[in-house]
Amino acid sequence: MIWKNLFEEHILRRGYDYYCSENVQNLKISKNKITASVCGTEDYNVSISLKDNLINEMECTCPYAEPGNHCKHMAAVLYAVQNTEPVNSHFETEIKALLDQSDVYELKNFLAQILQQDETLFLRLKSFLAKSKEDVDLKLYQKQIDQTISSYLDYYGYIEYDDAGRFIEDMEKYLYNDVQQLINQNLLEPAFELISYLFSKVSDIGIDDSDGETIEFVQLCCTLWEKIIFSAESSLKEKIFYWMMSYIDTSEADYIDCCIEYIFMEQFQEPEYLQKKFDYTEERASKISYSDNWNNRYEREHWAKQHINVMEQMQVSTDEILKYCKKYMEHPEIRKYCVSLYIRQDNDNNAISLLEESLILDKNYAGLVLDYRRILKELYRKNGNQEAYREQLWQIVISQVNLDEFRELKAIYPVEKWENVREKLFAELQPYEAAILYKEEGLYKRLLQYVMSKDSVFELKKYESSLIKHYPKQVVSKYSNYLIKSAKQTANRKTYKAWANLLMHMTKIQGGREQACKILIKWRELYPKRKAMMDELDKVKIDMP
């Protein structure tokens, strides 16, 4: 089955990476259809229909494929299918036979002509034949990379979305082909230099990377760096260490540069490097004073946390770490770390005291307060302080409705007292939060009142499955009133399509078919000049009563 020509090269590469990472699951192959799910940022379903062993149609539930694009998930599935089929070595056999019967002099002449026409191939061959790092022409690599980048830049030095995928693909070719080849030849220093040049260039460019190719490029750089660090001799490893330290010093700490910091902190575990990291992180944290500037506070807290990380790697005593933390206790993350240390020491009293202090210090930060309360709740429960446990649990539920925590709260109270407690809880919640609990508690009349009070049908769609068994007439009425009111104003085709789909949906509800038919007939009478609307209504198939 021929299929690779259906994809752009960078999509094929992404798909192959997904396949190699074993992200293709539930693969099913039949004569006329292939289906599978592919794990990514989410799980996506792929369906490929076949006709005469050729691809007829491909579908994927990912956003990229929605307008009809062929995505990396489809490519991953096809790589998985290909792997289940016997490998056809005919092409490889033919190449070997052709080379065996060729004259060496003629082959050299042919190769010379090809290399004169293709500088990239010439450079790759030169590196392939290199015996030492001096044989690798890094200046020519840098010239080629600069030329490639320049060919993509617009007038303002920016790479637009339409070119971003191909650009990153061209940058990755150097990593997959040239860098990997140098690593295979154990020419680790030029391999490192080449990755570092590519990384620095890409990180400095403005690029519309809406599809996330840049972060995948960065991750590939990091994977190759880690390979080099693992095998590097001491002098090269030290060179890499200081290069990364220097890069971090001048970086803007965005998501690209943070990848280097991660390698810097997690690799280099030898004692001499740990001591250097100890000194470096301590200096970075101490030279930033606490201020009202958010960025300064973040940097100070961040490097204090990194210093603590190094102290743990060096197996510094808990008392010494706590002593260091006290210099940075104005930072929430440091206090949370101290709480974890106290808990680890079974020093619950200190943990509770620090959490209660943090509730006051960070009272304006809802997310932090919720984190503190959840830890406090468990500590109070563990220590048998039922009243304090119940109070924290109550505050958690009214801060952020979570059904597990709501059920935990309900389990505390006897059945005969629960209804009164529940009413007090509802009184402290926003209506949309209470609605979640109406459904949980089976209070469908209240839930109906809530959704009927809304102008849109968003909330009704959300809770329809709970209401339709008890109040089908009211559900149909809500949909009908919404459609009639909405249609008084013109709209775009997308909205007309949504209305048509809602009409079809109404036919599945008891009493809804008759109402949908009435609306359909009335709309045809009132709005015959709305061509787009009539087009969408023509697609509505309802058996008239």
Side-chain angles (χ1 to χ4, degrees):
M1 179 171 60
I2 299 172
W3 57 272
K4 291 184 181 178
N5 60 317
L6 301 175
F7 297 86
E8 294 185 32
E9 191 170 339
H10 70 281
I11 298 294
L12 277 178
R13 198 180 298 281
R14 300 275 184 274
Y16 186 70
D17 288 344
Y18 267 55
Y19 162 68
C20 292
S21 299
E22 300 182 351
N23 288 352
V24 179
Q25 306 291 330
N26 306 316
L27 178 64
K28 296 179 182 178
I29 307 171
S30 66
K31 183 178 179 182
N32 298 318
K33 195 168 187 179
I34 300 165
T35 60
S37 57
V38 182
C39 307
T41 50
E42 296 180 18
D43 290 350
Y44 297 113
N45 297 321
V46 174
S47 176
I48 302 171
S49 62
L50 307 174
K51 187 175 182 180
D52 299 326
N53 201 35
L54 295 174
I55 293 173
N56 187 41
E57 189 175 4
M58 294 191 287
E59 294 179 350
C60 179
T61 56
C62 76
Y64 181 77
E66 187 174 348
N69 297 321
H70 293 167
C71 65
K72 59 189 174 185
H73 309 106
M74 299 169 182
V77 171
L78 288 166
Y79 274 115
V81 171
Q82 178 179 281
N83 195 51
T84 65
E85 299 174 350
V87 177
N88 185 354
S89 60
H90 173 73
F91 188 54
E92 183 180 353
T93 303
E94 188 174 351
I95 290 174
K96 288 181 178 179
L98 186 63
L99 292 175
D100 287 343
Q101 67 190 24
S102 298
D103 180 76
V104 173
Y105 179 75
E106 290 178 348
L107 283 176
K108 286 183 176 180
N109 283 338
F110 177 76
L111 183 59
Q113 293 174 29
I114 294 296
L115 295 177
Q116 288 174 16
Q117 299 168 13
D118 191 332
E119 190 179 73
T120 300
L121 191 59
F122 163 74
L123 190 52
R124 190 166 298 157
L125 178 63
K126 190 175 181 181
S127 296
F128 176 74
L129 298 174
K131 303 300 182 185
S132 68
K133 64 181 182 180
E134 289 77 15
D135 296 331
V136 181
D137 197 338
L138 285 173
K139 287 187 177 179
L140 184 54
Y141 270 122
Q142 292 171 2
K143 175 189 169 188
Q144 277 197 359
I145 292 166
D146 291 345
Q147 288 174 344
T148 302
I149 292 172
S150 295
S151 70
Y152 281 97
L153 297 177
D154 65 11
Y155 177 79
Y156 301 100
Y158 188 78
I159 298 178
E160 297 288 350
Y161 171 79
D162 290 342
D163 295 323
R166 289 189 296 275
F167 167 71
I168 293 297
E169 174 194 334
D170 282 346
M171 295 296 100
E172 286 183 343
K173 284 178 182 177
Y174 288 104
L175 297 175
Y176 280 109
N177 298 323
D178 302 271
V179 170
Q180 188 60 63
Q181 179 177 285
L182 290 170
I183 292 174
N184 293 342
Q185 294 170 243
N186 203 37
L187 297 172
L188 302 182
E189 187 167 348
F192 162 71
E193 296 283 358
L194 186 51
I195 301 171
S196 303
Y197 191 80
L198 283 161
F199 183 92
S200 299
K201 285 290 184 178
V202 171
S203 65
D204 287 343
I205 292 170
I207 179 171
D208 182 351
D209 182 28
S210 302
D211 290 336
E213 283 98 346
T214 301
I215 192 60
E216 295 186 21
F217 167 82
V218 168
Q219 289 169 347
L220 179 56
C221 287
C222 291
T223 299
L224 294 171
W225 269 325
E226 288 174 336
K227 278 186 180 181
I228 292 170
I229 291 168
F230 179 79
S231 303
E233 295 181 355
S234 58
S235 59
L236 176 57
K237 192 166 186 176
E238 185 176 16
K239 179 179 181 178
I240 297 171
F241 177 85
Y242 282 111
W243 180 87
M244 290 188 167
M245 183 189 290
S246 175
Y247 192 97
I248 294 165
D249 262 337
T250 58
S251 74
E252 297 180 358
D254 62 13
Y255 74 96
I256 293 178
D257 296 334
C258 285
C259 294
I260 287 187
E261 186 181 318
Y262 175 81
I263 293 177
F264 177 77
M265 295 303 301
E266 296 302 317
Q267 300 291 326
F268 307 103
Q269 294 296 312
E270 295 84 352
E272 65 270 25
Y273 290 119
L274 287 176
Q275 184 60 51
K276 289 182 174 73
K277 288 193 288 186
F278 181 93
D279 296 338
Y280 176 74
T281 53
E282 184 176 38
E283 181 186 0
R284 284 293 300 261
S286 64
K287 74 180 183 181
I288 306 170
S289 59
Y290 187 83
S291 69
D292 291 334
N293 183 289
W294 179 89
N295 188 62
N296 282 356
R297 292 202 308 272
Y298 170 81
E299 284 289 305
R300 190 170 189 266
E301 180 183 60
H302 173 75
W303 285 108
K305 285 165 58 183
Q306 291 289 41
H307 186 66
I308 292 167
N309 181 28
V310 176
M311 293 174 83
E312 286 191 331
Q313 291 173 357
M314 296 176 73
Q315 298 182 340
V316 174
S317 71
T318 301
D319 288 341
E320 282 297 311
I321 294 176
L322 283 170
K323 182 179 177 181
Y324 175 79
C325 287
K326 287 178 181 178
K327 296 190 291 185
Y328 297 90
M329 291 297 271
E330 65 271 28
H331 296 292
E333 290 299 319
I334 303 301
R335 276 185 267 119
K336 285 169 72 174
Y337 175 79
C338 286
V339 167
S340 70
L341 280 187
Y342 287 139
I343 293 173
R344 209 184 302 169
Q345 292 179 318
D346 288 326
N347 192 342
D348 291 351
N349 289 336
N350 278 2
I352 290 170
S353 177
L354 186 52
L355 285 166
E356 290 176 339
E357 179 186 346
S358 296
L359 285 175
I360 298 170
L361 291 171
D362 298 318
K363 61 183 179 182
N364 295 324
Y365 301 96
L368 287 172
V369 168
L370 198 57
D371 288 343
Y372 301 148
R373 291 195 187 283
R374 283 180 169 139
I375 302 170
L376 266 175
K377 169 184 72 91
E378 290 304 310
L379 288 171
Y380 286 138
R381 184 186 60 79
K382 174 186 172 186
N383 289 279
N385 190 337
Q386 284 298 308
E387 184 177 347
Y389 161 65
R390 183 165 54 244
E391 173 60 21
Q392 291 304 320
L393 186 52
W394 178 275
Q395 293 297 329
I396 290 167
V397 173
I398 65 173
S399 299
Q400 185 183 82
V401 172
N402 175 290
L403 289 179
D404 287 337
E405 288 164 340
F406 172 75
R407 291 163 187 159
E408 184 180 352
L409 180 66
K410 182 177 179 178
I412 295 174
Y413 293 93
V415 174
E416 63 273 14
K417 291 185 178 181
W418 173 241
E419 187 172 336
N420 288 335
V421 173
R422 185 180 67 189
E423 292 306 311
K424 291 178 183 177
L425 179 63
F426 289 160
E428 296 203 43
L429 297 175
Q430 294 294 326
Y432 71 91
E433 295 174 313
I436 298 170
L437 302 185
Y438 294 157
K439 177 184 175 182
E440 170 71 11
E441 292 288 280
L443 301 173
Y444 299 121
K445 187 174 182 179
R446 285 195 188 183
L447 185 58
L448 178 69
Q449 290 171 345
Y450 167 71
V451 299
M452 295 296 280
S453 69
K454 298 297 177 182
D455 290 333
S456 75
V457 292
F458 175 80
E459 297 290 341
L460 178 55
K461 288 179 179 178
K462 183 177 178 180
Y463 294 110
E464 182 192 294
S465 60
S466 300
L467 295 172
I468 200 170
K469 297 176 184 177
H470 307 280
Y471 304 105
K473 183 178 178 181
Q474 289 86 340
V475 170
V476 169
S477 174
K478 177 68 176 178
Y479 282 139
S480 299
N481 292 337
Y482 166 76
L483 287 171
I484 292 167
K485 181 180 178 181
S486 299
K488 291 179 180 179
Q489 302 293 327
T490 58
N492 56 34
R493 183 177 289 274
K494 184 177 180 180
T495 302
Y496 294 143
K497 184 175 183 179
W499 293 350
N501 289 338
L502 186 52
L503 283 174
M504 288 294 294
H505 179 71
M506 286 171 60
T507 64
K508 301 173 184 177
I509 305 171
Q510 181 183 342
R513 186 170 68 89
E514 294 79 4
Q515 205 54 36
C517 288
K518 289 179 183 179
I519 293 173
L520 192 58
I521 294 168
K522 192 67 176 176
W523 277 358
R524 291 191 186 283
E525 293 175 359
L526 293 174
Y527 313 117
K529 294 183 179 180
R530 295 183 187 176
K531 186 176 184 306
M533 184 178 182
M534 293 301 108
D535 286 346
E536 294 304 323
L537 294 183
D538 286 341
K539 300 173 185 178
V540 177
K541 306 300 180 185
I542 303 176
D543 294 331
M544 297 294 181

